[in-house]
Amino acid sequence: MSIKIVPQEQLTQPNHKTSIMPNIPLVYYPKTGQLYSHRIARIEQLIADSPLSDYLQFCHKIVYAQAQIILQDAVEYDLNQLVQQAAKLDCSPLSLQNLPLDTKWIDYLYYILSATKSVTSEIDNVRQQLTGYTKTVLLAKAQQLMSGHFLQVDSNESLFIWSALSVYYTQLASQLSGKATANTAEQCWQCPVCQSSPTASIIHIGQHAGLRYLHCSLCESEWYVPRAKCTCCDNLENISYYSLDQVLTAIKTECCEKCHSYLKLFNQEHDPDLDIVVDDVNSLILDLETEQLGFAKSGINTLLFSAEQ
Ligand SMILES: [Zn+2]
Ligand SMILES: [Zn+2]
C-alpha cells in the first residue's frame, strides 16, 4: 500500500474509500516553526561529542538561515486550486508536473549563501560560484536535482540549492494541512506531496507509536509505509538491519537483498530527540559500514549531498 494526496472534500463524499487503514494518519505535513527549532536544538545537543562537530557547525548555519527565512518570508499560492489540479492530472500537488518551478527559492539561496560566509575557503569558493550564476542557470540546476538527475550538478552546489528549495517546498507543504488529505496509491518510495525521494524513515512515539513513516528530503512531509519492506522496490523478503553498536540502536540501516539498496531507519522509541536530517549526518560511519557490505544508499539529505546519489 502507498499513498496519494487528494482534495480534503473528497473525504466527505459518500462511499469514497479514502484508506484501507482509516485510523492511521497516512501523511504528516511539516510544521515549519517546530521543525527548524527542533533541528537547531538537536545540532546543539550533538555538537560537543560528535566526531563531525566542525561539519555540524556548518549545518547549524544553514538550518538557522532556513529558520530565519520561514520567520521573515511567506510563499503565497492558491493551494486549494493546486490540490484540485493535481487530482485532475493524477500527480502530486507540489510535483514539477503540477507546479512549475519559479524563481522565489533563489532569494532563499542568496540568503543561505550570505549566512554561511567564511566557514572554509572551499565553501567560500562554492558560494562564489553559485553567486556568479544567472537565474536561468540556477533554475536549470534545480530542475535537474528535482528530476532526480543528481550527477548533473556539482554535489557541493547541490547542498546549497537543495537547502534553499527545501525551505520553499516545506513552506508550501505546511500550508496543505486542512486542504488535502491522503488516499492509497502506487509507488510508496516517492513523497506523495512533492514526488521527491525520502531522507530516511522514522518510527514515531506517542499516539501512533510503532508506525513507520518515510521523511521527505525536499518538503519534509512524512508518509506511512509498513515496516520490514524495501522502500525502493517494495520487496518484503530478505530485509536485513545493521547498526554499529548498542549506542546507535536508535539508528539502523534497512537493507534489501533484492535491489541492494538501503535506507536508514530512526527509532524514536530509543531516542525521542532524534532529528532525521541531523542524525543522518551524525551517523555517517554507519553509511560507510553498510556500503562496504555492498548496499547503496537510496536516501537524500538536505545537508549532505554526495556524488553517488
Ligand atoms: Zn515531499
Ligand atoms: Zn529493494
Side-chain angles (χ1 to χ4, degrees), residues 230 232-235 256 258-261:
C230 173
C232 252
C233 74
D234 285 345
N235 174 36
C256 173
K258 190 176 170 195
C259 72
H260 301 285
S261 73

Side-chain angles (χ1 to χ4, degrees), residues 26 67 82 84 95 104 110-111 153 163 180 184 215 252 294 306:
L26 295 178
L82 213 57
Q84 300 283 355
S95 63
K104 176 85 176 167
Y110 292 148
Y111 187 89
V153 184
S163 295
T184 55
H215 186 102
K252 292 178 180 169
S306 69

Side-chain angles (χ1 to χ4, degrees), residues 72-119:
Q72 292 168 20
D73 201 27
V75 179
E76 285 171 13
Y77 260 105
D78 184 347
L79 289 166
N80 282 315
Q81 193 266 334
L82 213 57
V83 173
Q84 300 283 355
Q85 181 181 291
K88 279 187 205 142
L89 295 175
D90 194 23
C91 63
S92 306
L94 304 184
S95 63
L96 283 178
Q97 188 187 346
N98 195 48
L99 177 66
L101 193 56
D102 68 14
T103 56
K104 176 85 176 167
W105 69 275
I106 296 178
D107 296 338
Y108 299 171
L109 174 67
Y110 292 148
Y111 187 89
I112 292 170
L113 292 175
S114 69
T116 47
K117 280 181 193 154
S118 308
V119 177

Side-chain angles (χ1 to χ4, degrees), residues 101-222:
L101 193 56
D102 68 14
T103 56
K104 176 85 176 167
W105 69 275
I106 296 178
D107 296 338
Y108 299 171
L109 174 67
Y110 292 148
Y111 187 89
I112 292 170
L113 292 175
S114 69
T116 47
K117 280 181 193 154
S118 308
V119 177
T120 65
S121 56
E122 194 194 5
I123 290 172
D124 277 344
N125 288 341
V126 179
R127 290 177 49 253
Q128 277 168 17
Q129 227 165 275
L130 284 163
T131 311
Y133 292 139
T134 62
K135 287 194 171 180
T136 310
V137 169
L138 290 172
L139 266 178
K141 285 175 185 281
Q143 298 267 7
Q144 291 281 16
L145 293 178
M146 289 188 61
S147 306
H149 304 145
F150 301 116
L151 293 175
Q152 300 300 314
V153 184
D154 175 274
S155 61
N156 293 317
E157 293 180 357
S158 300
L159 186 147
F160 288 101
I161 294 170
W162 198 259
S163 295
L165 286 169
S166 181
V167 187
Y168 175 77
Y169 279 96
T170 301
Q171 262 189 329
L172 287 174
S174 70
Q175 294 167 35
L176 282 172
S177 186
K179 301 183 180 75
T181 187
N183 199 349
T184 55
E186 302 304 315
Q187 294 192 337
C188 75
W189 57 88
Q190 286 184 314
C191 173
V193 177
C194 76
Q195 211 66 44
S196 291
S197 299
T199 297
S201 62
I202 186 158
I203 293 167
H204 284 294
I205 48 174
Q207 194 190 353
H208 298 288
L211 299 179
R212 186 257 285 268
Y213 288 82
L214 293 192
H215 186 102
C216 180
S217 61
L218 186 67
C219 78
E220 310 247 14
S221 298
E222 292 186 347

Side-chain angles (χ1 to χ4, degrees), residues 236-251:
L236 292 162
E237 293 168 359
N238 299 324
I239 305 289
S240 323
Y241 295 88
Y242 298 95
S243 62
L244 288 178
D245 52 38
Q246 285 299 102
V247 179
L248 285 178
T249 49
I251 309 173

Side-chain angles (χ1 to χ4, degrees), residues 43 46-59 282:
I43 293 176
L46 292 176
I47 208 159
D49 297 325
S50 172
L52 298 168
S53 58
D54 286 348
Y55 192 75
L56 286 181
Q57 197 73 52
F58 168 58
C59 295
N282 201 45

